[in-house]
Amino acid sequence: MTPLTRHSAMGLRQLLERREVSAVEVVQAHLDHIAASDGHLSAFLRVTGEQALAHAADVDRRITAGEPTGTLAGVPLALKDVLATRGIETTCGSKILESYRPPYDATVVRRLREADAIVVGKTNMDEFAMGSSCENSAFFPTRNPWDLERVPGGSSGGSVAAVAAGHVPLAIGTDTGGSIRQPAAFTGLVGVKPTYGTVSRYGLIAFASSLDQAGPIARTVTDAAWLLEAMSGHDPLDSTSIPEALPGLRGTLEAGVDGLRVGVVREFLGTDGLQAGVKARVTEAIDRLAELGADVVEVSLPHAVYGVSAYYLIAPSECSSNLSRYDGVRYGLRCDGSTAEAMMAATREAGFGAEVKRRIMIGTYALSAGYYDAYYAQAQRVRTLILRDFAAAHERCDVLVSPTAPTTAFRLGDKVSDPLAMYLNDVFTIPSSLAGSPAMSLPVGLDDDGLPVGLQIMAPVLCEPVMLRVARALESDLGFDPAPRGPNSLTEVAA
Ligand code: GLN
């Protein structure tokens, strides 16, 4: 019998609806699994077992009483620690927010609680979501369940490690330049970055406000679609939340790809530094799409190559502005100083890690008088050119595809001393972040080292239904098994 911790969220929902298990049993099984194996992974910053069991007991009571329950009733869920949770420590992976307890829930958290998803804990992340490996967490790195010597990707590294390990079937990540998609690719999961503005940013601790977007991480496309439906929707508390609702996702998931036009991004598949195993699996997946009836064509995004340069000016600029609020007065850490200025300087010196400081400095420089036009404004012009590239490509294509990341999961420590090498991991994910359009990663197989490879599927704004439909068609054709395996995997080591 499949253990409860390897069931999909929808599988668990069926068991719960048939009353074959209780929500308390489901949640307890996941908490036990976390207790037994998270020591190898460090996916969680904190586990909220007591509250989780109390919520599960309430769900069980309502099921028994015939009272209404939400669409995710009884399903365990992990939250990236960038999301504010009322009364529960929310650190964003930073010492500067250590022991900060928000007085409110992020809108996403509120919606998911209302859907009766059971929050079991907060997951580790790169500090303020800046990073691609989870090694920039101020607390500890998280390990990849497929190979414990490798990174899970980042910045949503704890969320993906938890889902891949079976600690939870569902988790929330956030994506500014790839932080849902790249870690999903590194751990054999489905990760979706929705259209900018469809998921509320209220209570999502800001890194780069014009790019940040929360989204679902799951082991199946269908689970990701359910989670996205539950978490999205207009929010008057977020001024960038769009009034349009995301079109229904679940109704068209099984519609197949027959007649759809799929554009293969020429520049991405031809990039130097693309690992052979990644290229092979992605090319095979694209061939399968053609065999399933899609019309596969080549397209060009001529300005996408400038995406990394533009992003690493725009995101740090917004970060330097957003992070100015951590002044030792309003939140978290405060260090002593003889004057207010000395206190603030000491607090920021002690509270922020090296990567965060690097970004604050780059961003402050890019926004400063005399350099603003040459850096920040220029980067914004490049952003517009990339947006136009996507518009042109989508005149011909329903979706675009590429590898999610140029490599599979790298080893811990491999890139920490070379920020540029780390930034280059985002080369394929950044363009759609700059364009604000939806994009996702789907696992399409393993490379020769037995590590998962992700295919990125990109769609026009609000076209999540067609994106998920392509993913679902390919998922059911490929039959990828998301259970981590291999000599150094969690499954072997914890056995
Ligand atoms: N790796 C990218 C960065 O460091 C993206 C991070 C993210 O999407 N939050 O900025």
Side-chain angles (χ1 to χ4, degrees):
M1 215 181 76
T2 314
L4 287 174
T5 52
R6 293 301 326 164
H7 278 278
S8 67
M10 290 309 106
L12 291 173
R13 285 294 308 135
Q14 283 168 8
L15 293 177
L16 284 156
E17 264 165 26
R18 293 200 299 260
R19 309 265 194 109
E20 288 175 29
V21 292
S22 69
V24 167
E25 282 166 340
V26 167
V27 169
Q28 191 62 58
H30 287 82
L31 290 173
D32 290 346
H33 185 41
I34 294 171
S37 64
D38 197 39
H40 297 286
L41 286 180
S42 308
F44 283 89
L45 285 169
R46 68 203 65 81
V47 176
T48 52
E50 229 172 275
Q51 287 111 310
L53 288 168
H55 188 180
D58 183 55
V59 167
D60 284 333
R61 184 194 56 75
R62 278 182 279 145
I63 292 176
T64 312
E67 291 172 20
T69 53
T71 54
L72 295 173
V75 178
L77 169 83
L79 299 170
K80 185 176 180 179
D81 207 31
V82 68
L83 289 163
T85 40
R86 190 157 69 96
I88 299 169
E89 199 182 338
T90 300
T91 65
C92 221
S94 183
K95 291 240 186 285
I96 212 152
L97 281 175
E98 206 166 0
S99 72
Y100 169 61
R101 287 174 204 277
Y104 66 103
D105 273 338
T107 296
V108 165
V109 176
R110 179 179 56 76
R111 281 179 184 275
L112 293 171
R113 287 195 202 281
E114 283 167 8
D116 283 318
I118 312 288
V119 175
V120 299
K122 308 285 301 278
T123 57
N124 196 23
M125 56 184 285
D126 287 299
E127 186 176 5
F128 284 101
M130 298 171 197
S132 306
S133 68
C134 217
E135 292 164 296
N136 292 340
S137 164
F139 304 107
F140 40 74
T142 293
R143 289 162 187 273
N144 190 322
W146 288 80
D147 179 345
L148 299 177
E149 293 310 313
R150 292 178 188 265
V151 302
S155 61
S156 309
S159 287
V160 293
V163 176
H167 289 159
V168 277
L170 301 176
I172 303 300
T174 58
D175 192 308
T176 304
S179 278
I180 290 175
R181 291 163 282 164
Q182 181 258 21
F186 278 18
T187 51
L189 297 175
V190 178
V192 181
K193 181 199 87 78
T195 299
Y196 181 80
T198 53
V199 176
S200 171
R201 288 188 303 106
Y202 181 74
L204 191 175
I205 297 174
F207 158 20
S209 309
S210 77
L211 297 156
D212 298 341
Q213 196 63 189
I217 293 164
R219 294 193 292 266
T220 72
V221 174
T222 308
D223 277 8
W226 275 77
L227 182 51
L228 182 52
E229 282 196 349
M231 69 193 285
S232 60
H234 178 66
D235 181 11
L237 297 173
D238 170 5
S239 62
T240 58
S241 165
I242 58 173
E244 296 93 332
L246 211 52
L249 302 171
R250 286 176 276 153
T252 51
L253 270 184
E254 307 293 337
V257 294
D258 204 20
L260 290 181
R261 182 165 278 193
V262 175
V264 180
V265 183
R266 181 188 310 142
E267 290 83 1
F268 290 5
L269 221 54
T271 305
D272 295 338
L274 182 63
Q275 270 177 4
V278 174
K279 189 169 183 171
R281 289 303 88 72
V282 165
T283 308
E284 288 159 15
I286 294 168
D287 290 346
R288 287 306 306 159
L289 281 173
E291 279 166 54
L292 292 170
D295 180 11
V296 177
V297 297
E298 207 177 69
V299 291
S300 171
L301 297 174
H303 299 93
V305 289
Y306 305 114
V308 171
S309 315
Y311 172 91
Y312 278 99
L313 288 165
I314 294 169
S317 296
E318 295 184 21
C319 134
S320 81
S321 163
N322 274 324
L323 271 58
S324 65
R325 76 191 62 178
Y326 304 105
D327 53 8
V329 177
R330 285 172 284 188
Y331 307 91
L333 184 75
R334 174 188 297 203
C335 297
D336 288 341
S338 51
T339 62
E341 202 181 334
M343 179 279 288
M344 287 178 196
T347 301
R348 290 167 69 83
E349 166 60 26
F352 289 137
E355 182 63 26
V356 173
K357 287 177 184 156
R358 180 178 296 123
R359 306 246 182 148
I360 291 173
M361 285 189 276
I362 293 171
T364 307
Y365 184 81
L367 290 174
S368 59
Y371 296 103
Y372 182 95
D373 272 343
Y375 294 106
Y376 180 73
Q378 185 70 1
Q380 291 290 17
R381 287 185 204 105
V382 172
R383 186 175 189 172
T384 302
L385 292 175
I386 291 173
L387 220 117
R388 289 187 191 149
D389 283 359
F390 274 104
H394 283 304
E395 270 175 29
R396 296 176 52 210
C397 301
D398 297 290
V399 296
L400 307 181
V401 292
S402 77
T404 302
T407 67
T408 50
F410 44 90
R411 286 179 203 286
L412 279 125
D414 253 13
K415 296 188 203 261
V416 270
S417 54
D418 187 351
L420 208 57
M422 196 71 96
Y423 297 170
L424 283 171
N425 225 263
D426 307 329
V427 59
F428 305 140
T429 47
I430 280 175
S432 41
S433 295
L434 292 171
S437 45
M440 67 180 289
S441 185
L442 177 81
V444 290
L446 305 178
D447 74 354
D448 290 343
D449 295 323
L451 296 168
V453 172
L455 175 78
Q456 181 175 224
I457 309 172
M458 298 164 273
V461 161
L462 291 175
C463 290
E464 276 84 348
V466 70
M467 179 176 84
L468 287 159
R469 181 178 147 191
V470 171
R472 174 67 195 123
L474 202 49
E475 174 188 57
S476 76
D477 182 69
L478 296 173
F480 178 81
D481 173 5
R485 51 201 174 273
N488 208 21
S489 65
L490 178 71
T491 322
E492 287 302 317
V493 175

